[in-house]
Amino acid sequence: MTIRFMRLIVFSSIVWVVAGSASARAQTRVSAPGVDDVRLNQIQVVGTHNSYHVAPTAEVMEQIADFHKSLARAVDYTHRPFAEQFSKLGIRQIELDVWADPVGGLFAAPFARQILKAKGKKLDPDPDEGGVLTKPGLKVLHFFDFDYRSTAPTFKNALEQVKAWSKENPSHTPILILVELKDEPQQPIPRYPVKFDRTTIESVDKEILEVFDRSSLIAPDDVRGKASTLREAILNNGWPALDQCRGKVMFALDNEGAIGDLYRADRPSLEGRLMFASVDPEAPAAAWFKINDPIRDYERIRSLVARGFMVRTRADADTVEARKNDVERRDRALSSGAQFVSTDFPEPRPEFSSYKVALHGGAVARPNPVAKPKTRAEIVDLEGKLK
C-alpha cells in the first residue's frame, strides 16, 4: 500500500467522522482544535435549584398561604423530570434536598393531606404511592408536611435517574449533584426530623456507591492526586481535563456549619469522601464553593474562579426575578464566571414573564468568561447545541 493511498484512506475517515458528528444530538461535543485542552473549571453550565421540586396543588397551596403568603409564592415552581432537564434544557447541575429516614415512613403521611381529608376536600396525589416512602433510606423533598411533591422521592431513585440518562449519553459534560442535608423542624406544625449525625451522614456516601460505580465519579481524591492537600492540587495542578471527565458525575455538599464539619471530621482534604465541600479558601479542602448571591459577592466569585476554584451561584430565588422579569442577578451570575449557575426557571413561565436562564444560542456548556480556556475564539459550545 502506497503512502499516498494510506493518506487518502485516513483523510476519508476523518471526513466521515466529521460529517457524522455534524448531525449528532446535544450530548455530543463540538469537535474543534483546542477543545481537548479545556479543563473542568474552564467551562460554565446552567443548573437547577431544588431540581426534584413539583409545586403544591392549589388546595395545599392555600394552606401554605394561610400560614405565610410569601412562602406560597416562593414554592410556586415545578421542574421537569431529570432526563428532560438534561436532554431538553441542557441542565448539567441539579440540587437535591435530602432527609434522613433510617426507620422509614417519616414522610409517608404529610399533615397537609390529613387536613384536606378532615375537611372533605380533594386529596392531592399520594406521595407514598407504592410504599416507597415507608422503606428506610434517604428521602428527597422540600418541606415534609406541606411542600413534599417530588419527581424523585428517594435519594437512590434520584441517583438512578441520573445514572440511567448518563449511561445513554456517555459523552455528556459532567453533571454536578448538589446535596443539601436537611434536619430542621417543620413549621407551622412542629415535627422534628432525624438529625444528621455521624451515622446518618455516612449513609449519604454509602447510598451514592450503591448506585454509581466509583469509576464514574469525580471525587476529591481524584482531583488531589499526589498533592498533600486538595487546595494545593487546585492551585498547582488544576482540575482534570474536560474530556477526561465526560460521562461522569460529581457531588458537592451544600451544608456548611455543623453538618459540614461532621462530614469533614478527621478528613481535612476530604480524604475518602465523595462530595466536595464549601469551606474557607485557605482550608485544605478548598476546591469548590457555594456562593448564592452573585450581586453582593460578584468580585469574590470572580476572584475565586480566576484562582482556579469552582463556584456554584444562583441566578434567582423565591420566584422573585421571574415575576418581575428582572435579569440583573442572572446576568451578574453568568458574567461572574461561576461554573454552575442555578435557576428555578431554565425555561420561561408565561404567566410570570419571559424570564429564563440559558446559555446563548442553546449551548449546553460554554467556555468560562473568567477562567478562559486556551481555545479558538469561535468555540462557544463545548458539548453541542440543543435541538
Side-chain angles (χ1 to χ4, degrees):
M1 184 180 293
T2 66
I3 295 177
R4 181 178 181 183
F5 186 61
M6 291 176 62
R7 287 176 176 172
L8 179 61
I9 291 175
V10 172
F11 177 76
S12 299
S13 299
I14 292 173
V15 170
W16 182 84
V17 170
V18 172
S21 66
S23 60
R25 296 178 62 83
Q27 68 269 19
T28 303
R29 72 181 177 92
V30 173
S31 297
V35 170
D36 292 343
D37 298 330
V38 178
R39 297 294 189 98
L40 186 57
N41 65 305
Q42 295 177 320
I43 67 172
Q44 186 175 65
V45 299
V46 173
T48 49
H49 161 256
N50 291 350
S51 311
Y52 59 86
H53 190 264
V54 178
T57 61
E59 293 79 9
V60 175
M61 194 71 86
E62 287 181 8
Q63 296 181 34
I64 298 174
D66 287 343
F67 167 66
H68 205 306
K69 287 185 177 180
S70 63
L71 178 58
R73 290 168 61 88
V75 300
D76 190 11
Y77 61 93
T78 295
H79 287 301
R80 293 173 179 258
F82 299 140
E84 291 186 19
Q85 292 187 45
F86 300 146
S87 292
K88 296 180 181 292
L89 305 176
I91 295 303
R92 292 296 180 269
Q93 178 256 305
I94 61 173
E95 179 184 0
L96 305 175
D97 286 334
V98 176
W99 303 76
D101 188 14
V103 176
L106 184 60
F107 311 112
F111 194 69
R113 299 188 86 245
Q114 299 177 39
I115 295 175
L116 292 175
K117 185 176 182 179
K119 292 183 176 180
K121 292 188 175 183
K122 177 184 176 182
L123 294 181
D124 63 349
D126 185 357
D128 192 32
E129 184 178 357
V132 66
L133 295 180
T134 59
K135 299 176 182 178
L138 300 167
K139 306 301 191 296
V140 175
L141 63 154
H142 196 210
F143 296 124
F144 53 82
D145 268 329
F146 292 91
D147 189 19
Y148 45 81
R149 299 179 71 198
S150 175
T151 60
T154 71
F155 188 49
K156 288 180 70 174
N157 175 261
L159 302 187
E160 286 165 352
Q161 291 184 45
V162 176
K163 180 181 178 180
W165 184 88
S166 179
K167 187 176 180 180
E168 293 180 356
N169 301 270
S171 61
H172 67 78
T173 299
I175 295 170
L176 171 68
I177 301 178
L178 181 61
V179 176
E180 181 176 1
L181 305 181
K182 303 187 76 170
D183 59 7
E184 67 268 23
Q186 175 72 67
Q187 295 295 334
I189 308 301
R191 283 218 286 152
Y192 297 92
V194 175
K195 300 294 289 185
F196 274 98
D197 56 17
R198 285 185 177 271
T199 300
T200 46
I201 281 179
E202 291 296 336
S203 70
V204 180
D205 280 4
K206 181 176 181 292
E207 289 201 10
I208 291 173
L209 289 178
E210 288 175 356
V211 175
F212 288 102
D213 294 333
R214 176 63 181 83
S215 61
S216 66
L217 303 178
I218 305 166
D221 285 346
D222 302 323
V223 177
R224 188 179 67 256
K226 296 181 179 180
S228 60
T229 69
L230 186 54
R231 179 179 183 274
E232 177 185 307
I234 295 298
L235 296 180
N236 295 334
N237 305 323
W239 292 84
L242 173 61
D243 277 357
Q244 294 176 358
C245 301
R246 290 188 182 279
K248 295 189 177 185
V249 174
M250 60 188 295
F251 288 82
L253 180 65
D254 181 277
N255 303 76
E256 297 168 300
I259 290 179
D261 291 342
L262 273 176
Y263 188 73
R264 298 190 310 275
D266 304 321
R267 302 169 189 245
S269 280
L270 296 166
E271 294 88 346
R273 289 301 193 190
L274 300 181
M275 297 189 287
F276 293 88
S278 190
V279 296
D280 185 275
E282 303 303 316
W288 168 90
F289 295 86
K290 177 194 72 174
I291 305 176
N292 285 336
D293 191 337
I295 295 179
R296 181 190 63 200
D297 294 317
Y298 183 77
E299 293 301 332
R300 179 186 173 207
I301 294 173
R302 289 181 65 88
S303 175
L304 288 169
V305 171
R307 294 172 64 190
F309 296 111
M310 296 182 78
V311 176
R312 176 266 193 181
T313 194
R314 293 183 64 180
D316 45 73
D318 301 331
T319 75
V320 172
E321 287 79 11
R323 293 177 187 274
K324 298 178 180 179
N325 197 21
D326 182 353
V327 300
E328 180 186 9
R329 180 169 176 169
R330 178 198 69 186
D331 293 350
R332 295 287 276 182
L334 290 169
S335 66
S336 72
Q339 288 85 355
F340 306 98
V341 178
S342 180
T343 180
D344 287 323
F345 299 92
E347 53 190 336
R349 184 167 169 182
E351 63 267 39
F352 287 176
S353 71
S354 60
Y355 177 88
K356 72 173 183 177
V357 180
L359 299 181
H360 182 71
V364 176
R366 72 173 185 177
N368 193 286
V370 174
K372 297 179 180 179
K374 296 178 180 179
T375 60
R376 293 185 349 186
E378 62 266 31
I379 300 174
V380 295
D381 186 354
L382 295 171
E383 182 170 344
K385 295 182 184 300
L386 293 168
K387 303 299 181 183

